[in-house]
Amino acid sequence: MATAARQLTPLPQLSRAVADWVNSVRELTQPRAIHWCQGSDAEARELTAQLLQRGELKALDAERFPGCHLYRSAPNDVARVEHLTYICTRSQEDAGPNNHWIEPQQAHAKMRELFRGCMRERTLYVIPYCMGPLDSPLARCGVEITDSPYVVLNMLIMTRAGRAALERIAHDGAFVRGLHSIGELDPERRFIMHFPEEHAIESFGSGYGGNALLGKKCHALRIASWQAREEGWLAEHMLIVGLESPRGETHYLACAFPSACGKTNLAMLIPPASLPGWRAYTVGDDIAWLHPGADGRLWAINPEAGYFGVVPGTNPETNRNAYEMIRRDTLFTNVALTADNQPWWEGLSTGRPVIDWQGRPYDPAKGPAAHPNSRFTASARRNPSYSPHAEDPAGVPITALVFGGRRREVAPLVYEARDWRHGVLVGASLASETTAAAVGQVGVTRRDPMAMQPFCGYNFGDYWRHWLDIGARLARPPRIYHVNWFRRDAQGQLLWPGYGENLRVLAWMLDRCAGRAGATEAAIGCLPRTADLELRGLDVSADRLAGLLTVDAALWRKEVAEMREYLGRYGSRLPAALLAELDSIERRLP
Ligand code: GTP
Ligand code: SPV
Ligand code: MN
């Protein structure tokens, strides 16, 4: 039965394929109205006004936080749900041991029953969006259908959404289909399904971040990683930062750290005062699409247009850029409030929470005031360190790739891979303590290859092979590094100050790439000696530095054995080159 759904805005007759799909979803979900997103400021203001009126958004102190709002998600819906996230390929082997899998027809049938009639009292929003600059040949488009106006507001900030994207879709003739409904926010009826072979996503029952803003992890990583293998590029969970040295040269680094392990902070880094002449420029804070260029270098674009960043820990000392950025026109999710209606979170040294993230009077006995995974949504254009090259259609050339995890021991502050092939093993070996960004236990060390464990849309064995193939195509490949800002001493104290001071480590990398910096060779790769790092003005004792740069052979033997066991799970899909690299490390260990 076709509904007489009211069209709130005229259907742009640009793409027949989009219109046909919207019609079929309308028949399935039975919305009361359809709204085609235009992407204008007026539209965002109108949606905000509606949400304020319905009590779903709260305006924050207009004087100190102009244009800022608070949204509280359902308390059972505050992070990604990896156990409910599936890759639905025809062959289970193609999804690999790294993904949950359901056969696609079965998955569609299950989702169809959930979506049937689910928008009856709701408006269906059609969000055409472009991931990447609208004029970039590296950008790719999608359309998200959702019944959550909060999702629309986020997508308007996070992507290039609206009429211009629809025009590009009409021109490209292709788009990723993302269907989303918050359903009843029932964790028992919550699934995030991906169909890489169909370039389609179906997400039901969650309104939160990576589960619901389908352009982000679902499209730009899970589906895009699949597209990237088909087309010969890489879709990665990486920030992109440009560093201008006192010599006046700018180099770009792309860095993969797992969720809530420091990408946004490194992307917006403020150089320490003791290192004059350095400047940092943000290109992206979460996702990089990397393409081999005609010049033999690797080129990167940021597919996103905004930041969906971790709030706790943001303050003028750790990240002044973010702190300034989120003082206006920002959408806060799940932070606490002060008595005078300002947002508050753990890690702020000023103000005091009186209302917690669930809207209850704050009681320390009930846990933190702000949710540990509370987030800000802000336009990249509001970032004081936004790179003037962030929207270059060709992207920026990458000098170094960096992998990093959150590890209290084993991994030193930094080491350098011998070559691309070794670097792929370094990425594949990434392990990190789990964080509040996903539902589940926090602080458990798990393997998270390339920081893509929750995000790779296919078998990791095939993915590592693809990485090796990309390297073989690069005449001037970036050097590859591993970092760990989170190493601790025996008392549990962090050894490294982190944040802006991380520049010292990045500067060493760039000097290495330019053939200027020294290193010492260890079994796991090359490490700086204390003398190779610029330590002027840094308050870290020689003991702590030594601790940061130690490679404990016994711990590394254990690490290699764990890695061998882990890689073994990928059976015949595992490239033999990675085992050869692992053997070579083991042979070199004292
Ligand atoms: P996602 O958005 O989940 O992908 O996270 P992210 O990788 O962008 O992490 P983010 O930069 O938001 O940092 C997460 C948490 O780690 C915040 O609470 C930060 O304050 C903290 N953090 C970031 N960088 C550092 C660092 O260099 N040292 C230490 N100790 N903590 C850091
Ligand atoms: C992450 O968890 O890595 C994020 C936040 O960047 S989310 O959009 O929820 O995936
Ligand atoms: Mn992320």
Side-chain angles (χ1 to χ4, degrees):
M1 185 192 76
T3 51
R6 194 162 55 94
Q7 306 270 340
L8 289 187
T9 41
L11 187 155
Q13 295 294 340
L14 287 169
S15 169
R16 194 70 251 160
V18 177
D20 288 348
W21 179 56
V22 170
N23 272 328
S24 70
V25 171
R26 185 195 62 184
E27 279 172 24
L28 176 65
T29 59
Q30 308 272 310
R32 136 184 94 73
I34 294 181
H35 176 112
W36 286 77
C37 293
Q38 309 285 320
S40 65
D41 292 344
E43 179 179 60
R45 276 197 301 275
E46 170 65 23
L47 278 168
T48 303
Q50 281 175 25
L51 280 172
L52 283 167
Q53 205 195 350
R54 281 158 48 175
E56 291 177 36
L57 271 190
K58 194 170 167 19
L60 297 171
D61 177 46
E63 211 168 293
R64 273 157 300 186
F65 287 85
C68 293
H69 298 91
L70 167 63
Y71 178 83
R72 293 193 184 108
S73 71
N76 73 27
D77 187 33
V78 293
R80 284 183 294 100
V81 282
E82 294 177 11
H83 60 297
L84 304 175
T85 300
Y86 290 81
I87 299 295
C88 311
T89 43
R90 278 175 305 223
S91 145
Q92 181 168 6
E93 270 289 288
D94 288 340
N98 45 306
N99 282 303
H100 299 297
W101 175 85
I102 304 185
E103 190 280 321
Q105 291 320 315
Q106 225 179 307
H108 280 307
K110 187 184 181 81
M111 297 305 277
R112 206 157 32 240
E113 289 323 304
L114 294 173
F115 279 113
R116 195 180 298 287
C118 72
M119 297 189 191
R120 266 200 188 100
E121 298 309 316
R122 302 176 186 167
T123 297
L124 177 159
Y125 297 90
V126 184
I127 317 168
Y129 63 87
C130 180
M131 300 310 289
L134 280 156
D135 59 351
S136 170
L138 313 183
R140 295 287 182 276
C141 290
V143 176
E144 173 164 1
I145 293 179
T146 181
D147 54 9
S148 161
Y150 164 76
V151 166
V152 178
L153 279 182
N154 276 281
M155 287 289 286
L156 289 174
I157 300 171
M158 296 301 297
T159 72
R160 283 96 175 162
R163 179 167 271 278
L166 199 57
E167 278 165 14
R168 170 142 181 178
I169 289 169
H171 175 264
D172 288 358
F175 63 99
V176 170
R177 285 155 209 249
L179 173 54
H180 169 254
S181 170
I182 55 171
E184 312 84 39
L185 297 174
D186 175 359
E188 299 296 317
R189 287 159 55 84
R190 179 175 293 160
F191 296 99
I192 327 295
M193 304 273 194
H194 303 75
F195 304 86
E197 289 148 332
E198 303 164 36
H199 294 180
I201 306 152
E202 294 174 8
S203 166
F204 190 91
S206 168
Y208 194 81
N211 303 328
L213 316 179
L214 300 186
K216 196 172 176 58
K217 299 304 164 78
C218 300
H219 174 164
L221 288 177
R222 299 196 189 96
I223 301 293
S225 61
W226 179 282
Q227 282 181 305
R229 185 179 46 152
E230 289 177 333
E231 299 173 8
W233 49 281
L234 295 166
E236 298 298 326
H237 193 201
M238 290 178 172
L239 68 95
I240 308 163
V241 66
L243 291 180
E244 186 184 320
S245 71
R247 298 167 190 264
E249 293 168 14
T250 300
H251 285 276
Y252 295 89
L253 301 96
C255 315
F257 310 152
S259 301
C261 289
K263 288 182 302 300
T264 303
N265 278 274
L266 195 68
M268 298 177 77
L269 160 150
I270 294 181
S274 50
L275 296 186
W278 284 91
R279 288 200 60 177
Y281 298 95
T282 315
V283 177
D285 86 319
D286 196 47
I287 300 178
W289 285 358
L290 306 164
H291 289 251
D295 62 355
R297 289 191 290 177
L298 196 57
W299 290 73
I301 62 162
N302 169 18
E304 301 189 280
Y307 312 124
F308 184 66
V310 175
V311 177
T314 307
N315 65 49
E317 283 73 49
T318 56
N319 188 346
R320 194 174 68 235
N321 282 329
Y323 185 74
E324 296 299 336
M325 177 176 75
I326 63 181
R327 299 187 82 76
R328 57 186 323 132
D329 301 330
T330 295
L331 183 49
F332 288 90
T333 300
N334 294 339
V335 294
L337 288 174
T338 62
D340 52 359
N341 206 33
Q342 295 187 53
W344 195 92
W345 53 86
E346 276 67 20
L348 270 189
S349 51
T350 52
R352 206 167 52 82
V354 295
I355 305 286
D356 77 3
W357 64 275
Q358 299 189 53
R360 307 172 301 190
Y362 173 56
D363 173 0
K366 290 187 175 149
H371 190 276
N373 190 39
S374 52
R375 297 265 167 174
F376 58 76
T377 318
S379 165
R381 297 201 172 171
R382 292 225 5 89
N383 173 4
S385 63
Y386 195 44
S387 165
H389 296 291
E391 313 208 12
D392 285 3
V396 295
I398 299 297
T399 301
L401 291 177
V402 184
F403 296 108
R406 190 183 273 272
R407 299 208 63 182
R408 32 186 73 236
E409 49 183 13
V410 185
L413 178 63
V414 59
Y415 64 96
E416 179 186 72
R418 279 177 283 274
D419 53 22
W420 183 272
R421 200 175 86 153
H422 178 213
V424 175
L425 178 76
V426 168
S429 310
L430 200 65
S432 195
E433 292 154 25
T434 51
T435 65
V439 167
Q441 220 184 329
V442 168
V444 189
T445 303
R446 70 160 179 184
R447 306 242 71 102
D448 191 349
M450 277 80 173
M452 285 286 279
Q453 167 51 45
F455 307 120
C456 184
Y458 61 102
N459 190 316
F460 263 150
D462 299 334
Y463 169 79
W464 296 321
R465 187 175 304 278
H466 181 51
W467 261 84
L468 293 168
D469 291 346
I470 292 282
R473 281 173 53 196
L474 296 172
R476 298 157 71 191
R479 284 210 198 182
I480 300 181
Y481 295 85
H482 187 285
V483 299
N484 179 17
W485 314 138
F486 299 92
R487 193 145 162 174
R488 291 174 190 267
D489 65 16
Q491 286 71 48
Q493 290 299 310
L494 279 169
L495 287 167
W496 182 248
Y499 301 101
E501 304 294 352
N502 294 335
L503 174 64
R504 299 173 192 275
V505 174
L506 305 185
W508 174 75
M509 293 174 190
L510 293 184
D511 277 343
R512 288 287 294 168
C513 293
R516 282 194 289 261
T520 173
E521 186 151 4
I524 62 168
C526 288
L527 279 82
R529 293 155 300 194
T530 312
D532 298 318
L533 290 170
E534 173 56 87
L535 299 173
R536 234 182 327 158
L538 178 72
D539 186 20
V540 173
S541 71
D543 265 11
R544 268 162 72 190
L545 275 170
L548 280 161
L549 296 170
T550 312
V551 178
D552 181 318
L555 283 178
W556 272 94
R557 283 194 179 282
K558 198 162 149 262
E559 184 77 5
V560 167
E562 275 174 34
M563 229 359 240
R564 198 178 293 288
E565 190 275 321
Y566 175 74
L567 292 178
R569 293 182 212 168
Y570 293 88
S572 62
R573 301 265 180 143
L574 177 74
L578 293 193
L579 283 181
E581 286 295 333
L582 198 61
D583 291 342
S584 139
I585 292 174
E586 194 160 43
R587 271 197 312 273
R588 290 165 202 248
L589 279 168

